[in-house]
Amino acid sequence: MLPKKKLHMKVGILDSTLREGEQTPGVVFTTDQRVEIAKALSDIGVQMIEAGHPAVSPDIYEGIRRIIKLKREGVIKSEIVAHSRAVKRDIEVGAEIEADRIAIFYGISDTHLKAKHHTTRDEALRSIAETVSYAKSHGVKVRFTAEDATRADYQYLLEVIKTVRDAGADRVSIADTVGVLYPSRTRELFKDLTSRFPDIEFDIHAHNDLGMAVANVLAAAEGGATIIHTTLNGLGERVGIAPLQVVAAALKYHFGIEVVDLKKLSEVASLVEKYSGIALPPNFPITGDYAFVHKAGVHVAGVLNDPKTYEFLPPETFGRSRDYVIDKYTGKHAVKDRFDRLGVKLTDSEIDQVLAKIKSNPNVRFYRDVDLLELAESVTGRILKPRPPENIMALISVKCDSNVYTTSVTRRIVLIEGVREVMEISGDYDILVKVEAKDSTELNQIIESIRAVKGVKSTLTSLILKKM
Ligand code: HCA
Ligand code: CU
C-alpha cells in the first residue's frame, strides 16, 4: 500500500447529537438526558458540543442552560455552541443563555434563497452581515453556517464567506446539507477555501444521503477543515450525518490521531442508543454488535492465529472484544477453540464429528455454548458439564398512557437488557413483553426498567412455568 499521509493535527470534533441528532424522526431528549449526553461528550474529549437550538422550545432552552452552567462550574470542558436562525430573536436567546458560540445558519443555494428565505442573493448578503454583526455585538463567538453550501453558486459562497468574515465570524461551517459531495471534490473544495481565507477556520458538516459522509469529512480534514461535525450513531435529519464512532476510528487508523477517548466511544454510543430509541443495526461499524465478530471458518482460523488478518484495529482500541459465531460456515479451529474455552477436551475425531453435525443442520443461525455441549455429548456419550441453571422467563403486559404513541414505547422497551420479544397487542393491555432473567432480582430490575419508560402506565407480570 502507499505510505500513509500526515494530517494537520488541529482537527477536532463538534458533536451535534443534541442538535442535529434530535432532528432524527422520532427522537426527543429529555432535559436530564440532554445534560447527561453533554457530560459524556465532554468526558470523552469532544472539542465542541452543539447543545441545541435554544429558541426552538423551552425544554431545549432549559437543557442548554444547565449544560452551560456545568461548563461554568468546570464539569463540562467542551465549547458550547447554540444553533440559531439568522433572526435577531434567536441570536438574543443564544446570547442570553451565554453560549460560548452562536452558530447562525442561512441557506445560500438559489433554491434555499428562493423557496425558504424568499429573497435575492444581494438581500441575503445584507441580512447575513447584519445578523452576524448583531451576534458579535453581544460579545459572543460566531460561526456562520452556509447551509446547502455544496449546491450553491461557488462565487456566491465566496462572497458569503467574505461577508461573514468582515462582520466578525471566525468560523464557517460548510454544510453539505443534502449529502451530495464525494471525497475528491470535498478535498478540493476545502483546499481552495482554506487557501483563500487563511483567517477563517472551516467546519465540515456532511450529511450521509449518498453514504459518503465519513469519507467526505476525512477529505475535508485533508483539505484543511479543522472541525468535523458528527453525531453519535450517525443520527440526524433523514439518514443523518457522519457518526462520531466511525470518524474517530478512521482518524485513528489513517492518521494516528485520537480526537476522543476511543475506549469510551461504545459506552456513549449505547447511551445515545437508549435515549434516542434508535437501535443500532448489529452491522454498524465500530460499536455495532457484530463489528468485531467473525464467522467463516477461514476468517476465524486466521483471526485465531493473528487477529490482524481480519481486523483493521484490535477491538480493545475501542473498549470492545472479539468474538466469533458458530454455524455451518464454521471450521475446525473455531470449534476446537470454543471447546477449549469451555474447558472441554475433545479428540480430533470427536471435533470432526461435532463439525459434521453442525454442517448437517444448515438452518441453525447460531450455536450457543449449551447447544455445542449437547452436540458433543451426543458424539462422545459423556456428560460434559452440568446444565446451566434455567433462566426465569416471564411475560409482562404493559399499559401505555392514552396520549402516547405505543410504538415509541415499544422502541424503548426493545432496548432494555433481558427483553427477548416485544409485541403490540389489542385488548386491556397495549404491549406484551417476553423477558428472560437469571434470577428474581434481575427480573425485578427488568420490570423496573420497563416501568421507567416514558409513557408506561402500568404493568402486569406473569411467570412462565412450563413450555411445551
Ligand atoms: C439545519 C441545517 C444544518 C446546519 C449545519 C450546520 C445543515 O438542520 O438547521 O449548522 O453546520 O445540514 O445544513 O444541519
Ligand atoms: Cu445538518
Side-chain angles (χ1 to χ4, degrees):
M1 196 37 211
L2 292 170
K4 284 192 176 176
K5 288 190 193 161
K6 277 214 159 39
L7 188 64
H8 60 93
M9 297 301 284
K10 260 183 88 178
V11 70
I13 296 290
L14 171 143
D15 188 274
S16 188
T17 302
L18 297 175
R19 197 280 298 169
E20 178 79 55
E22 208 185 22
Q23 290 177 221
T24 312
V27 174
V28 284
F29 297 124
T30 66
T31 307
D32 286 346
Q33 290 170 347
R34 187 176 292 280
V35 173
E36 195 180 336
I37 292 171
K39 272 201 262 177
L41 288 169
S42 168
D43 285 349
I44 62 170
V46 161
Q47 193 173 324
M48 298 185 186
I49 297 172
E50 201 163 70
H53 185 158
V56 165
S57 68
D59 75 294
I60 295 179
Y61 182 95
E62 175 58 14
I64 303 174
R65 196 193 59 75
R66 281 175 52 191
I67 291 167
I68 290 170
K69 185 160 175 278
L70 290 175
K71 171 75 191 285
R72 299 285 169 266
E73 291 165 0
V75 178
I76 287 179
K77 305 265 186 288
S78 325
E79 181 175 308
I80 306 301
V81 181
H83 223 226
S84 166
R85 285 172 303 173
V87 297
K88 285 196 165 160
R89 165 86 197 114
D90 281 20
I91 289 165
E92 283 155 9
V93 173
E96 167 195 298
I97 207 169
E98 294 182 353
D100 296 319
R101 177 183 292 277
I102 297 182
I104 303 169
F105 65 98
Y106 197 99
I108 63 148
S109 64
D110 287 335
T111 309
H112 278 234
L113 289 174
K114 197 161 159 229
K116 263 176 51 184
H117 300 297
H118 312 292
T119 189
T120 61
R121 289 186 185 178
D122 285 342
E123 191 47 48
L125 277 184
R126 275 194 288 279
S127 44
I128 289 170
E130 202 181 305
T131 40
V132 170
S133 321
Y134 187 63
K136 278 310 289 181
S137 75
H138 288 81
V140 59
K141 287 190 269 189
V142 177
R143 172 186 102 213
F144 177 78
T145 292
E147 190 187 7
D148 206 18
T150 53
R151 290 191 302 175
D153 177 80
Y154 196 58
Q155 289 312 313
Y156 186 61
L157 170 64
L158 297 178
E159 264 183 79
V160 168
I161 299 173
K162 206 154 6 103
T163 304
V164 299
R165 178 199 59 195
D166 294 346
D170 64 335
R171 305 201 66 92
V172 170
S173 165
I174 301 297
D176 187 22
T177 304
V178 293
V180 291
L181 281 178
Y182 65 91
S184 60
R185 260 181 96 69
T186 310
R187 184 160 173 270
E188 245 172 74
L189 169 66
F190 279 83
K191 274 198 136 171
D192 191 57
L193 292 176
T194 47
S195 70
R196 283 176 195 266
F197 298 100
D199 43 357
I200 287 278
E201 295 216 11
F202 288 93
D203 296 23
I204 170 71
H205 179 95
H207 276 265
N208 201 32
D209 298 72
L210 292 173
M212 284 185 277
V214 173
N216 282 327
V217 301
L218 250 64
E222 274 193 326
T226 51
I227 283 285
I228 293 173
H229 291 200
T230 63
T231 54
L232 260 316
N233 307 345
L235 295 181
E237 287 277 347
R238 308 181 304 283
V239 299
I241 66 168
L244 174 59
Q245 56 264 60
V246 190
V247 171
L251 287 170
K252 167 74 177 170
Y253 180 77
H254 286 289
F255 306 108
I257 299 177
E258 295 194 14
V259 274
V260 291
D261 182 349
L262 301 176
K263 283 202 163 39
K264 295 209 183 117
L265 270 173
S266 193
E267 229 172 87
V268 192
S270 305
L271 186 75
V272 171
E273 193 176 3
K274 189 161 104 192
Y275 291 163
S276 65
I278 304 282
L280 271 197
N283 59 350
F284 198 86
I286 316 301
T287 56
D289 284 353
Y290 299 164
F292 298 97
V293 177
H294 307 277
K295 173 163 155 172
V298 173
H299 286 234
V300 177
V303 166
L304 288 173
N305 276 333
D306 181 351
K308 279 211 281 295
T309 47
Y310 289 103
E311 287 171 359
F312 78 103
L313 277 174
E316 294 76 26
T317 318
F318 308 103
R320 307 210 51 194
S321 54
R322 82 178 49 87
D323 203 357
Y324 52 85
V325 292
I326 295 205
D327 75 350
K328 67 181 176 191
Y329 274 87
T330 296
K332 206 169 164 167
H333 287 91
V335 175
K336 184 173 173 342
D337 181 73
R338 184 53 58 93
F339 280 112
D340 282 351
R341 287 204 224 171
L342 288 170
V344 174
K345 288 258 160 307
L346 296 182
T347 64
D348 271 7
S349 109
E350 285 167 344
I351 287 176
D352 285 341
Q353 290 174 59
V354 170
L355 195 57
K357 285 195 180 250
I358 290 171
K359 290 192 185 279
S360 65
N361 274 315
N363 296 327
V364 175
R365 287 164 183 267
F366 298 98
Y367 281 88
R368 299 166 304 166
D369 292 348
V370 277
D371 306 322
L372 290 171
L373 285 171
E374 211 165 87
L375 281 185
E377 283 178 354
S378 75
V379 163
T380 61
R382 286 180 275 146
I383 298 291
L384 292 171
K385 261 205 172 168
R387 287 271 169 278
E390 285 276 323
N391 283 344
I392 306 177
M393 305 287 287
L395 294 174
I396 303 176
S397 309
V398 178
K399 204 176 278 185
C400 297
D401 290 324
S402 56
N403 58 342
V404 304
Y405 175 46
T406 310
T407 303
S408 70
V409 176
T410 308
R411 276 219 225 103
R412 287 178 164 81
I413 292 178
V414 167
L415 298 172
I416 294 171
E417 201 158 332
V419 167
R420 295 287 170 262
E421 258 181 272
V422 185
M423 290 152 271
E424 288 182 23
I425 54 174
S426 66
D428 283 350
Y429 285 84
D430 304 300
I431 301 171
L432 188 63
V433 188
K434 189 169 163 197
V435 306
E436 185 172 353
K438 71 173 187 310
D439 52 31
S440 56
T441 317
E442 199 177 278
L443 177 61
N444 226 357
Q445 276 164 5
I446 300 172
I447 297 170
E448 285 308 319
S449 310
I450 293 176
R451 295 171 71 94
V453 170
K454 203 171 75 192
V456 169
K457 191 170 168 203
S458 64
T459 61
L460 174 75
T461 301
S462 320
L463 286 186
I464 297 175
L465 301 177
K466 199 185 239 176
K467 275 204 309 190
M468 297 297 171

